Amino acid sequence: MREITSRRSNRHSPALLLSVASAVLATASACAPEKVQPIAPPTAAQRCEALAGAGQALPGMRILSAKAQAAGATVDLGFGGMKSGPLPAHCEITGITGERVGIDGDHYAIRFHLRLPEDWNGRFFFEGGGGTDGNLGSALGSVGFGRPPALAQGYAVVSGDSGHSNELNADPANGGPSAFGRDPEARANYGHAALKVTYDAARALIGRFYSRQPVRSYFAGCSKGGQEGLAFAERYPDAFDGILVGAPGMSLPKAALGHPWTVQAFAAAAGGKSKSVTPEQLAATFTDDDLKLARQAVLAACDTDDGLKDGIIGTVGQCSAKRVDAELHKLQCKGAKSASCLGKPQIAALDKFFAGPSNRKGEALYASFPWDGGLADGGWRMWTIGAPAGSSGPGMTSIAVSMGAGTLSEIFSTPPRVLPPGPQAAMDYLMAYDFDRDAPAIFATSAAFPRSAWEDINARSPNLDAFAGHGGKLIVYHGGSDPVFSLNDTLAWWREADARMNGNAASTVRVFPVPGMGHCAGGPATDRFDGFSALVHWVEQGAASDRIEASAGPATPWPGRKRPLCPYPAVPRYDGKGDIEKAESFVCTAPAK
């Protein structure tokens, strides 16, 4: 049989065999799968642009813009054209959610600003707001003077407007930036509610862009931003691993009572009665030299309490009014007022301001302020009495007047009251404020405002149980010469939290007073320090800071001076032998009994 087969195959010609082979090969080729080119994964820019259609990341969210920013771009920070340093390549997003019409007829929404770096470190940073909020913020993540922002360090960063817009909800006829206080939901958003909405929106978009969630989350903010950090710790305790808080407005509605108190105290030094003092007269109650005399008295009373006469009262919060008052009266004019002495009304004004607001029964309505060495600083002056016109410029109305009146009347009081525009109307309101009659409005409710301003906006609870329960860490820094939010209030809050935690608050929260520093920064102080790195180290390495090194800026009496900031109740004390300009010459010790 093999032989027959062989003979048959030999009968076919070579040409026929080649033709058959070619046909077989062609058929095989047609049946083989076609070679597929690999599909390149989308670039970061493509993923960024795709977020423009991510409206369903959260119900009701709209992405307004999603744009890839090339490495090296800078951002205008305002402040006279100041720009950021070069930024890394990132996706910049603006979005909106919670659109509605308020009871005042205004259109409200919660807007946010998010930056997602291509080279992500796997961490999330929430940038706190300030003042009355109402703007998107930079979403760069400021972490302190001279230090690269969080975005440049690889963090995904979000900021937001807290639920109202200074472009759409700030009609000058209705109070300008305080106008949103006429709507109860806008108040609640400002106090805390918009924070969680912004947080959720950012986390949803982070998940879409990176296909994973952050391994760590942080918050940092000062002033109103400090209040926001504490609001997160108290109301939304699982949101962050670490929170950095500066000069926290934890008692905002109560602190707002300090504005009429301040104005009335200093206006008395001008001989003013209700409605008879102008902002210009308020600013003229103290010259810069007068304030330097007052600083001299404070330092004479308490400068050496920390073991060294150096222009810094390291024992912040312990300088008593009795001791300072004795030194002030040594400087009291024996006759007519002159540049070398203080008038009796001026001393009375200082005593009243530092005592803090109270009613006719003598009941404290807010905290007292610590006697500290920063009261001659320009920032302290701008918050309290303002600057008179002169060789240095046209003058400036006190912030207690320009911002304080409208926020107290419209945001922190129920029912809200719209003041006529202009600084004199604000001044008149503050001068006529009655602390027995008007102050209870911060706790009042109504049919339109079922929650009081205090309920919606305060962030002063010592109950950090849930925050501590998930391992959260909180660092608070606060200037001893902050004339807006009192360090004494912050220290009292920490003592209450420590008592609640059976003396173990330091395992969760540490407060670092900054002697001489004003509101968030400035003053004759070592106000340049890296609290954020200390926070991250605590969260990620488990090592809490027993001191944070700080340095003095060029505008201080001692440029380059270094001191440790100590966690309350410890204070920095000179070791008696080292260079007084170096931090290593000071130790953080328990305060003297």
Side-chain angles (χ1 to χ4, degrees), residues 302-327:
C302 302
D303 188 1
T304 59
D305 287 2
D306 57 6
L308 182 66
K309 184 177 182 180
D310 61 351
I312 295 178
I313 300 175
T315 54
V316 173
Q318 298 179 40
C319 189
S320 71
K322 182 178 180 180
R323 293 167 63 193
V324 174
D325 209 44
E327 296 295 333

Side-chain angles (χ1 to χ4, degrees), residues 208-430:
R208 289 227 174 173
F209 187 74
Y210 296 114
S211 297
R212 60 189 175 102
Q213 285 295 324
V215 294
R216 295 289 187 185
S217 296
Y218 296 93
F219 178 99
C222 192
S223 190
K224 177 58 173 65
Q227 177 268 349
E228 292 167 355
L230 292 182
F232 264 118
E234 296 164 15
R235 297 177 186 260
Y236 313 107
D238 296 331
F240 293 103
D241 301 293
I243 296 175
L244 177 66
V245 161
M250 62 174 70
S251 304
L252 256 175
K254 287 185 178 181
L257 299 176
H259 300 314
W261 186 263
T262 297
V263 166
Q264 291 179 26
F266 286 104
K273 301 292 183 182
S274 178
K275 295 192 176 182
S276 65
V277 175
T278 66
E280 293 76 18
Q281 289 173 314
L282 182 70
T285 54
F286 280 75
T287 65
D288 288 345
D289 286 341
D290 290 337
L291 291 175
K292 289 176 183 176
L293 285 174
R295 167 178 158 81
Q296 175 185 320
V298 177
L299 293 177
C302 302
D303 188 1
T304 59
D305 287 2
D306 57 6
L308 182 66
K309 184 177 182 180
D310 61 351
I312 295 178
I313 300 175
T315 54
V316 173
Q318 298 179 40
C319 189
S320 71
K322 182 178 180 180
R323 293 167 63 193
V324 174
D325 209 44
E327 296 295 333
L328 286 171
H329 279 89
K330 291 179 184 178
L331 297 173
Q332 185 174 323
C333 300
K334 302 300 188 288
K337 173 74 177 77
S338 70
S340 62
C341 63
L342 294 172
K344 185 177 180 180
Q346 290 178 311
I347 295 173
L350 290 170
D351 284 339
K352 183 173 181 177
F353 167 80
F354 280 95
S358 60
N359 59 23
R360 290 187 185 91
K361 295 179 181 179
E363 297 167 332
L365 302 178
Y366 181 52
S368 63
F369 287 83
W371 289 95
D372 190 46
L375 75 167
D377 181 66
W380 191 93
R381 176 183 198 107
M382 291 314 309
W383 275 99
T384 53
I385 60 176
S391 58
S392 60
M396 181 175 171
T397 299
S398 157
I399 300 173
V401 175
S402 61
M403 184 174 71
T407 55
L408 177 57
S409 68
E410 207 160 357
I411 301 173
F412 304 132
S413 297
T414 300
R417 174 182 170 186
V418 178
L419 301 179
Q424 190 58 54
M427 188 79 181
D428 293 345
Y429 167 77
L430 295 173

Side-chain angles (χ1 to χ4, degrees), residues 500-518:
R500 181 183 179 88
M501 296 181 178
N502 299 314
N504 294 312
S507 62
T508 297
V509 52
R510 297 194 173 198
V511 176
F512 291 84
V514 188
M517 190 173 82

Side-chain angles (χ1 to χ4, degrees), residues 534-568:
L535 176 68
V536 173
H537 189 70
W538 191 7
V539 168
E540 301 190 13
Q541 306 300 322
S545 293
D546 291 324
R547 55 191 278 152
I548 297 175
E549 185 170 299
S551 61
T556 66
W558 349 266
R561 169 177 282 183
K562 291 181 170 56
R563 290 284 189 274
L565 305 180
C566 302
Y568 180 80

